[in-house]
Amino acid sequence: MTGTLYGLGIGPGDPDLITVKALKILQATPVLAYPALEDGDSLARAIVAPHLNTPKTEIAIRIPMTVDRAPAQKAYDIAAQEISRHLIDGQNVVVLCEGDPFFYGSFMYLFGRIAEKFPVEVVPGVSSLTACATALQSPLSARNDVLTVLPAPLPSDILAAQLEATDSAAIMKVGRHFERVRDLIINLGLEDNARYIERATMVNEKILPLREVPADAAPYFSMILIHKRGQAWK
Protein backbone atom coordinates (compact mmCIF):
# COMPACT_ATOMS: atom_id res chain seq x y z
CA MET A 1 0.00 0.00 0.00
CA THR A 2 1.31 3.43 -0.93
CA GLY A 3 0.70 6.59 1.00
CA THR A 4 -1.84 9.25 0.05
CA LEU A 5 -0.94 12.77 -1.00
CA TYR A 6 -3.15 15.47 0.52
CA GLY A 7 -3.30 18.92 -1.02
CA LEU A 8 -4.57 21.18 1.76
CA GLY A 9 -6.03 24.59 1.12
CA ILE A 10 -5.09 26.48 4.28
CA GLY A 11 -6.76 29.81 3.60
CA PRO A 12 -5.47 33.32 2.88
CA GLY A 13 -3.43 33.95 6.01
CA ASP A 14 -5.48 33.87 9.22
CA PRO A 15 -4.67 30.52 10.92
CA ASP A 16 -8.27 30.29 12.12
CA LEU A 17 -9.53 30.10 8.52
CA ILE A 18 -8.23 26.57 7.99
CA THR A 19 -11.12 24.10 7.68
CA VAL A 20 -11.79 21.42 10.28
CA LYS A 21 -11.12 18.73 7.67
CA ALA A 22 -7.78 20.23 6.68
CA LEU A 23 -6.80 20.57 10.35
CA LYS A 24 -7.53 16.91 11.09
CA ILE A 25 -5.50 15.73 8.10
CA LEU A 26 -2.64 18.11 8.90
CA GLN A 27 -2.30 16.88 12.47
CA ALA A 28 -2.56 13.18 11.53
CA THR A 29 -0.05 13.18 8.65
CA PRO A 30 3.66 12.47 9.29
CA VAL A 31 5.20 14.26 6.29
CA LEU A 32 4.66 17.97 5.69
CA ALA A 33 5.61 19.75 2.45
CA TYR A 34 5.18 23.44 1.69
CA PRO A 35 6.30 26.10 -0.78
CA ALA A 36 8.99 28.46 0.46
CA LEU A 37 11.04 31.33 -0.85
CA GLU A 38 14.25 30.26 -2.52
CA ASP A 39 16.33 31.66 0.33
CA GLY A 40 13.72 32.48 2.97
CA ASP A 41 10.75 31.43 5.03
CA SER A 42 7.44 29.84 4.10
CA LEU A 43 4.22 31.78 4.54
CA ALA A 44 2.23 28.56 4.19
CA ARG A 45 4.09 26.92 7.07
CA ALA A 46 3.73 30.04 9.20
CA ILE A 47 -0.05 29.94 8.71
CA VAL A 48 -0.34 26.38 10.07
CA ALA A 49 2.40 26.66 12.71
CA PRO A 50 -0.09 27.19 15.58
CA HIS A 51 -1.75 23.89 14.64
CA LEU A 52 1.34 21.66 14.48
CA ASN A 53 1.01 19.36 17.49
CA THR A 54 3.69 16.74 16.73
CA PRO A 55 7.11 16.70 14.99
CA LYS A 56 6.96 15.93 11.27
CA THR A 57 9.31 15.18 8.43
CA GLU A 58 9.38 18.46 6.53
CA ILE A 59 9.99 19.17 2.86
CA ALA A 60 10.55 22.80 1.88
CA ILE A 61 9.81 23.33 -1.81
CA ARG A 62 12.11 26.19 -2.77
CA ILE A 63 10.42 28.12 -5.58
CA PRO A 64 12.48 30.72 -7.50
CA MET A 65 10.48 33.94 -7.91
CA THR A 66 11.23 34.59 -11.57
CA VAL A 67 9.12 35.34 -14.63
CA ASP A 68 10.79 32.46 -16.45
CA ARG A 69 8.81 29.30 -15.65
CA ALA A 70 11.68 26.84 -16.12
CA PRO A 71 13.34 27.21 -12.67
CA ALA A 72 10.01 26.78 -10.86
CA GLN A 73 9.12 23.74 -12.97
CA LYS A 74 12.44 22.16 -12.04
CA ALA A 75 11.72 22.82 -8.36
CA TYR A 76 8.36 21.03 -8.70
CA ASP A 77 10.08 18.11 -10.45
CA ILE A 78 12.50 17.74 -7.54
CA ALA A 79 9.72 18.06 -4.95
CA ALA A 80 7.56 15.48 -6.73
CA GLN A 81 10.43 13.01 -6.65
CA GLU A 82 11.04 13.54 -2.93
CA ILE A 83 7.34 13.32 -2.08
CA SER A 84 6.99 10.18 -4.20
CA ARG A 85 9.70 8.44 -2.18
CA HIS A 86 7.66 8.92 1.00
CA LEU A 87 4.48 7.75 -0.72
CA ILE A 88 6.22 4.61 -1.98
CA ASP A 89 7.27 3.90 1.62
CA GLY A 90 3.60 4.02 2.64
CA GLN A 91 3.73 7.41 4.34
CA ASN A 92 0.98 9.96 3.82
CA VAL A 93 2.16 13.41 2.77
CA VAL A 94 0.47 16.80 3.22
CA VAL A 95 1.26 19.66 0.85
CA LEU A 96 0.19 23.08 2.06
CA CYS A 97 -1.32 25.56 -0.34
CA GLU A 98 -2.25 29.13 0.57
CA GLY A 99 -5.85 29.89 -0.33
CA ASP A 100 -7.39 27.09 -2.38
CA PRO A 101 -5.28 24.43 -4.16
CA PHE A 102 -7.14 24.73 -7.47
CA PHE A 103 -7.61 28.52 -7.56
CA TYR A 104 -4.24 29.80 -8.77
CA GLY A 105 -2.79 27.37 -6.22
CA SER A 106 0.78 26.09 -6.45
CA PHE A 107 -0.35 22.59 -5.44
CA MET A 108 -1.77 21.99 -8.92
CA TYR A 109 1.77 21.66 -10.30
CA LEU A 110 2.51 18.78 -7.94
CA PHE A 111 -0.93 17.29 -8.60
CA GLY A 112 -0.12 17.16 -12.30
CA ARG A 113 3.08 15.23 -11.59
CA ILE A 114 1.78 12.80 -8.96
CA ALA A 115 -1.96 12.15 -9.38
CA GLU A 116 -1.59 9.47 -12.05
CA LYS A 117 0.75 7.41 -9.86
CA PHE A 118 -0.55 7.76 -6.30
CA PRO A 119 -3.83 8.42 -4.46
CA VAL A 120 -4.44 12.15 -4.07
CA GLU A 121 -7.07 13.98 -2.03
CA VAL A 122 -7.55 17.72 -2.41
CA VAL A 123 -9.14 19.70 0.43
CA PRO A 124 -10.55 23.08 -0.65
CA GLY A 125 -9.68 26.21 1.28
CA VAL A 126 -10.89 29.77 1.75
CA SER A 127 -9.57 31.63 -1.29
CA SER A 128 -8.00 35.07 -1.33
CA LEU A 129 -10.86 36.18 -3.57
CA THR A 130 -13.57 35.51 -1.01
CA ALA A 131 -11.35 36.68 1.86
CA CYS A 132 -10.81 40.06 0.17
CA ALA A 133 -14.51 40.46 -0.56
CA THR A 134 -15.50 39.85 3.06
CA ALA A 135 -12.73 42.08 4.44
CA LEU A 136 -13.89 44.88 2.13
CA GLN A 137 -17.55 44.13 2.94
CA SER A 138 -18.09 44.07 -0.81
CA PRO A 139 -20.09 41.15 -2.28
CA LEU A 140 -18.58 39.90 -5.50
CA SER A 141 -21.70 39.41 -7.59
CA ALA A 142 -25.47 38.97 -7.49
CA ARG A 143 -28.29 37.70 -9.67
CA ASN A 144 -26.96 37.37 -13.25
CA ASP A 145 -23.77 39.37 -12.74
CA VAL A 146 -20.72 38.15 -14.60
CA LEU A 147 -17.66 38.04 -12.35
CA THR A 148 -14.27 38.15 -14.07
CA VAL A 149 -11.00 37.26 -12.33
CA LEU A 150 -8.05 39.03 -13.93
CA PRO A 151 -4.32 38.57 -13.25
CA ALA A 152 -2.68 42.01 -13.17
CA PRO A 153 0.29 40.92 -15.34
CA LEU A 154 -2.04 40.71 -18.36
CA PRO A 155 -1.38 43.35 -21.05
CA SER A 156 -3.30 46.59 -20.53
CA ASP A 157 -5.42 46.22 -23.65
CA ILE A 158 -6.66 42.80 -22.54
CA LEU A 159 -7.38 44.06 -19.02
CA ALA A 160 -9.30 47.02 -20.41
CA ALA A 161 -11.39 44.86 -22.74
CA GLN A 162 -12.26 42.44 -19.95
CA LEU A 163 -13.16 45.23 -17.53
CA GLU A 164 -15.42 46.88 -20.09
CA ALA A 165 -17.22 43.59 -20.77
CA THR A 166 -17.91 42.45 -17.22
CA ASP A 167 -20.20 43.47 -14.34
CA SER A 168 -17.77 42.68 -11.55
CA ALA A 169 -14.02 42.11 -11.54
CA ALA A 170 -11.26 40.98 -9.21
CA ILE A 171 -7.74 41.99 -10.25
CA MET A 172 -5.21 39.72 -8.54
CA LYS A 173 -1.42 39.63 -8.20
CA VAL A 174 -1.29 43.41 -8.38
CA GLY A 175 2.17 43.98 -6.89
CA ARG A 176 4.60 45.69 -9.27
CA HIS A 177 1.80 46.18 -11.83
CA PHE A 178 -0.19 48.44 -9.52
CA GLU A 179 0.54 51.87 -11.06
CA ARG A 180 -0.29 50.66 -14.57
CA VAL A 181 -3.50 48.99 -13.39
CA ARG A 182 -4.57 52.03 -11.36
CA ASP A 183 -4.10 54.33 -14.37
CA LEU A 184 -6.16 51.95 -16.49
CA ILE A 185 -8.99 51.88 -13.92
CA ILE A 186 -9.03 55.67 -13.69
CA ASN A 187 -9.03 56.03 -17.48
CA LEU A 188 -12.02 53.68 -17.73
CA GLY A 189 -13.95 55.78 -15.21
CA LEU A 190 -14.14 52.93 -12.69
CA GLU A 191 -12.16 54.47 -9.83
CA ASP A 192 -15.19 55.26 -7.64
CA ASN A 193 -16.26 51.62 -7.76
CA ALA A 194 -12.81 50.15 -7.14
CA ARG A 195 -11.61 48.88 -3.75
CA TYR A 196 -8.00 48.06 -2.85
CA ILE A 197 -6.82 45.61 -0.18
CA GLU A 198 -3.53 43.94 0.64
CA ARG A 199 -2.69 40.92 2.80
CA ALA A 200 -6.34 40.17 3.56
CA THR A 201 -6.97 38.43 6.94
CA MET A 202 -3.32 38.80 8.01
CA VAL A 203 -2.21 40.90 10.95
CA ASN A 204 -0.81 43.51 8.55
CA GLU A 205 -3.95 43.70 6.39
CA LYS A 206 -4.42 47.13 4.83
CA ILE A 207 -7.37 48.74 3.00
CA LEU A 208 -6.78 52.03 1.16
CA PRO A 209 -8.50 54.28 -1.37
CA LEU A 210 -6.99 53.59 -4.77
CA ARG A 211 -5.34 57.03 -5.11
CA GLU A 212 -3.67 56.75 -1.69
CA VAL A 213 -1.70 53.59 -2.45
CA PRO A 214 1.97 54.50 -3.07
CA ALA A 215 2.97 53.61 -6.62
CA ASP A 216 5.73 51.21 -5.63
CA ALA A 217 4.30 49.83 -2.39
CA ALA A 218 1.65 47.29 -3.45
CA PRO A 219 2.72 43.75 -2.46
CA TYR A 220 2.10 40.58 -4.45
CA PHE A 221 -0.72 39.72 -2.02
CA SER A 222 -2.93 42.63 -3.03
CA MET A 223 -6.20 42.80 -4.92
CA ILE A 224 -8.56 45.33 -6.46
CA LEU A 225 -12.29 44.57 -6.53
CA ILE A 226 -14.57 46.46 -8.91
CA HIS A 227 -18.34 46.31 -9.20
CA LYS A 228 -19.92 48.59 -11.77
CA ARG A 229 -23.03 49.22 -9.63
CA GLY A 230 -20.83 50.13 -6.71
CA GLN A 231 -22.28 47.33 -4.61
CA ALA A 232 -23.73 44.05 -5.89
CA TRP A 233 -27.02 44.43 -4.01
CA LYS A 234 -27.99 47.62 -5.86
Side-chain angles (χ1 to χ4, degrees):
M1 294 288 291
T2 66
T4 297
L5 175 65
Y6 294 95
L8 298 190
I10 58 170
D14 182 345
D16 288 346
L17 288 178
I18 187 172
T19 66
V20 174
K21 182 172 184 176
L23 178 60
K24 289 179 179 178
I25 293 171
L26 171 68
Q27 294 185 336
T29 303
V31 183
L32 175 65
Y34 45 82
L37 296 175
E38 192 170 14
D39 56 356
D41 297 330
S42 167
L43 175 60
R45 193 194 185 285
I47 291 171
V48 304
H51 304 302
L52 296 177
N53 57 345
T54 57
K56 298 182 185 297
T57 300
E58 298 194 16
I59 302 170
I61 306 169
R62 300 289 178 182
I63 309 296
M65 299 302 290
T66 62
V67 176
D68 182 8
R69 293 190 66 200
Q73 295 304 309
K74 182 178 180 180
Y76 289 122
D77 287 340
I78 294 170
Q81 293 171 6
E82 187 170 0
I83 289 168
S84 294
R85 287 195 290 269
H86 289 283
L87 296 173
I88 290 169
D89 288 341
Q91 291 184 302
N92 293 339
V93 180
V94 155
V95 177
L96 306 180
C97 187
E98 298 150 27
D100 181 272
F102 283 169
F103 184 68
Y104 293 98
S106 58
F107 173 75
M108 71 177 74
Y109 303 111
L110 291 173
F111 179 87
R113 289 164 167 79
I114 295 175
E116 293 184 359
K117 303 173 185 176
F118 301 98
V120 178
E121 181 176 340
V122 181
V123 180
V126 176
S127 73
S128 59
L129 178 60
T130 53
C132 287
T134 54
L136 289 166
Q137 297 187 350
S138 181
L140 293 166
S141 56
R143 302 187 298 278
N144 294 325
D145 285 343
V146 175
L147 169 64
T148 304
V149 179
L150 299 168
L154 285 173
S156 294
D157 58 338
I158 295 177
L159 284 174
Q162 292 291 331
L163 287 172
E164 288 179 329
T166 196
D167 303 299
S168 176
I171 305 176
M172 303 178 61
K173 308 177 185 180
V174 175
R176 60 189 176 90
H177 304 278
F178 174 75
E179 187 69 7
R180 174 176 62 89
V181 172
R182 174 167 57 188
D183 289 345
L184 187 152
I185 290 170
I186 292 172
N187 290 338
L188 290 174
L190 296 173
E191 180 187 4
D192 291 343
N193 293 335
R195 297 168 178 82
Y196 171 89
I197 183 170
E198 60 187 56
R199 299 186 176 94
T201 81
M202 302 182 196
V203 294
N204 52 350
E205 173 185 295
K206 188 180 295 184
I207 297 171
L208 290 170
L210 209 58
R211 286 190 183 269
E212 293 184 16
V213 181
D216 58 352
Y220 177 82
F221 293 108
S222 56
M223 191 178 299
I224 298 170
L225 298 185
I226 300 171
H227 200 292
K228 288 182 176 176
R229 291 195 301 275
Q231 290 288 7
W233 59 77
K234 293 182 179 178

